[in-house]
Each structure stands twice: as structure tokens, then as C-alpha cells.
Amino acid sequence: MDVKQLKALVTVAEAGSVTRAAELLHLVQPAVTRQIRTLEQELGVPLFERTRQGMRPTDAGVIMVDRARRALNELERARAEVQPTPGAVTGIVTVGLLESTTDLLAEPLVSALTRDHPGIELRLMTAYSGHLQQWLDAGDLDLTLLYNLDSTPSLNARPLLREHLWAVAPPSAGLRADRPVPFTEAATHPLVMPTSGHALRALIDAAATRARTAMDIAVQTNSMRVQKQLVLAGHGWTVLPGIGIAEDVANGTLSAAPLCEPDVWRSVVLATARSRRTPPAVEVVARELVRQIDTAVSQGRWPSLQPQTHTRTETEPEGQ
């Protein structure tokens, strides 16, 4: 098993075709076919099903493609670290951003790192907290924003801030930031909710229990963007963190107010894996991400929050 075979495996799986994979790898088709067959012979199992629709990985193939992709990524990262530009921090850093924070943080983070650390290749992934934590555990992320997580034996979690959850409605509802809405009042409306099992949904369900009220759930979705679209279309109210609707409220697309009775908060943390070495490039990106958050908070672009104190983590060297 060698690197060329692993590249062929991953490329065929992503392209769905040996012909297309050969084009992407700048090889002739028989060479790619030979690499796949040699790998299958070594492993003793078929890695692809040859169908009319193209090459589809078998169950064994799915496992091998996943592991091969990670191995190739690690080799690429190692190459970037051992062949640095003198005096520059270099490397590949994969960062997870909560979906609600991408509009606020993604572009400023990329701009700052491009300007100050051009040797760092940044890879951004966005999802809900549960998915980001899974990717961090699996080694697909170097660092990520998560919420409502404490440090664990496998993860360092640096507290950054606590933010209110807000009731979100169409503009006609006239919700205002200076007039909190009791949870029982929000629950009188049909609600567009995150899907069950989602961490945000767990916070909302717990608030409903504390308020001793039932919710009329009109629809569930795993997309914050869809939640807002359905609210705007009149399908009900929803509950989201303030950062997720700040721009919508500012431009009048939606109206929103912090929830009360009970207050509902989420804690945002910066998480890294304990088991892996933290390269200098990851430390640089972690500091810059925190700096961008601090800037957004100081400029009032992250509404309804409380900063949290924290202890130093592996991503925060002494004196930073």
C-alpha cells in the first residue's frame, strides 16, 4: 500500500469514475484501475461496486476511503510543517465554526490570517455543535467553536462567552431587544424548531420544562437558514442565539427579543483535542479567532452576551 494507491482510491470515490479520476490525477485510465485492483488484492476485499452509474464504494471501501483521506491530509500537513518559509509560521489548519457565527467571523478571520500569516492554509468547516464535536474527536478539525461543553478527558474547552437565546418572529410581531419575551408567550405560537437531538433543541426543551409549558411545534429542521426562512414566510416563531439573527434584526427582515422566565443561555467555548500535538500554526489561528470574537463583542456586533473568564489551554501560550 502506497501513497499513489491511496490517492487513486480517494479520487475515484470522489469522482465516481475511473476515467474522471485519471483526468484529475493526470494518469492514464489503466494505471488508476491497476492501483485500485492492487489495493483490493492486498486487502482481500472489493473496494468498489462497478455499476452503470459509476464506481460506488462498498462498505469496506467507505472505511478505506475515510482512513485514506485522513492519512493523506496528515501527510500534507506534515509536509507544510517541515518545509516552512524561514521566519514564517506555516501549516494547514482546519477550523470549525458554529453555523450561527459564520457571517460574523469567517471573512474577518480569513482576511487577518491572509494578511499576517500567508504561510497558513486555512480550511473552514461549518455545522452545528454536535457535528463539529464529532469531527474534532475524529481528528478532522484542529480547533472548533462549540457550545455548552466542559473540558473532558479528550478535549480542552476554553470558555469564551455566554449568550442569550432569543425568540424570533416576523417583523409584524414587533419584538424588541429591550423587551424580553416570557417563554410561555413564545410557546403560544407555532414554533419552527431545530430537530430533536440537536444541542440547541435540548436547551429549548429544558426551558419549556422549567416554564411548565407545552410547545406547538410546526416543523423541525437542521438548518438555521431554513428556520429563519420559515419564520419570515409566516409558519411560526423560532428560537435562536442572538448572533444568528443580529443582521436580520438590524435590516428589519425579522424581529426578535431575548427569552425570559426562564432566561435561556448557551456557553460558547473554543475546543481542541488533548491527545494531539498543537502545532504553532494552530496556536496562531486560535489566538486570531479569539481576537476576532473579542473585536466583534467590543463593537457591539455580538448581541446579548456575557464574557466568561477562562484558564490557559494548549492553544493559549503563556503571556498571550
Side-chain angles (χ1 to χ4, degrees):
M1 190 180 303
D2 60 30
V3 172
K4 291 181 180 179
Q5 291 171 340
L6 297 183
K7 286 183 178 179
L9 173 69
V10 171
T11 307
V12 170
E14 291 176 346
S17 159
V18 172
T19 302
R20 177 58 180 153
E23 293 174 356
L24 293 172
L25 293 168
H26 305 290
L27 297 171
V28 295
Q29 182 176 332
V32 176
T33 300
R34 183 167 58 252
Q35 289 169 343
I36 297 298
R37 285 179 177 170
T38 300
L39 197 52
E40 289 177 325
Q41 290 170 0
E42 178 177 345
L43 295 170
V45 293
L47 298 175
F48 289 96
E49 296 177 6
R50 282 78 173 171
T51 70
R52 291 182 179 179
Q53 290 73 37
M55 301 284 281
R56 185 173 64 187
T58 62
D59 289 345
V62 169
I63 293 172
M64 281 301 300
V65 168
D66 179 60
R67 300 295 184 180
R69 185 180 287 115
R70 292 182 188 178
L72 292 171
N73 285 339
E74 286 301 310
L75 288 172
E76 189 176 358
R77 290 162 58 92
R79 184 178 294 111
E81 288 183 34
V82 301
Q83 296 178 327
T85 302
V89 178
T90 63
I92 300 167
V93 181
T94 306
V95 179
L97 295 178
L98 295 163
E99 185 183 13
S100 56
T101 68
T102 53
D103 289 346
L104 184 68
L105 298 176
E107 192 282 327
L109 179 64
V110 170
S111 293
L113 291 169
T114 299
R115 179 188 67 241
D116 299 333
H117 300 281
I120 294 177
E121 179 182 328
L122 190 65
R123 298 177 179 178
L124 295 179
M125 300 179 71
T126 179
Y128 286 124
S129 185
H131 291 137
L132 293 172
Q133 185 175 350
Q134 291 174 8
W135 296 342
L136 183 62
D137 287 335
D140 296 325
L141 295 175
D142 295 302
L143 68 156
T144 185
L145 295 180
L146 299 173
Y147 64 85
N148 287 21
L149 181 75
D150 295 323
S151 292
T152 69
S154 63
L155 297 178
N156 285 308
R158 169 184 173 178
L160 299 177
L161 53 89
R162 293 173 71 235
E163 63 172 334
H164 244 132
L165 295 190
W166 292 48
V168 183
S172 58
L175 300 185
R176 289 173 40 175
D178 59 348
R179 294 180 181 174
V181 172
F183 193 95
T184 52
E185 179 182 337
T188 63
H189 299 268
L191 293 174
V192 179
M193 285 287 97
T195 52
S196 296
H198 186 285
L200 186 61
R201 175 64 181 275
L203 288 176
I204 299 167
D205 287 346
T209 299
R210 296 200 303 277
R212 298 181 180 179
T213 187
M215 294 185 292
D216 176 13
I217 299 175
V219 64
Q220 301 180 52
T221 175
N222 65 349
S223 167
M224 184 183 71
R225 183 175 61 86
V226 173
Q227 280 179 259
K228 294 192 289 187
Q229 286 178 338
L230 293 177
V231 169
L232 186 58
H235 293 282
W237 289 20
T238 193
V239 176
L240 287 169
I243 186 60
I245 44 85
E247 185 174 346
D248 303 278
V249 171
N251 62 28
T253 304
L254 295 169
S255 66
L259 284 169
C260 66
E261 300 175 16
D263 291 349
V264 189
W265 297 84
R266 74 169 183 176
S267 299
V268 178
V269 305
L270 178 63
T272 56
R274 288 185 185 273
S275 59
R276 295 194 296 273
R277 168 181 165 269
T278 305
V282 174
E283 294 180 350
V284 166
V285 174
R287 290 196 296 270
E288 185 57 44
L289 178 57
V290 172
R291 192 179 75 83
Q292 292 299 330
I293 291 173
D294 289 343
T295 299
V297 170
S298 66
Q299 293 177 351
R301 292 183 289 121
W302 196 313
S304 191
L305 59 82
Q306 293 178 350
Q308 287 189 271
T309 58
H310 62 271
T311 56
R312 188 178 65 86
T313 71
E314 291 178 9
T315 63
E316 185 185 14
E318 297 284 0
Q320 297 297 329

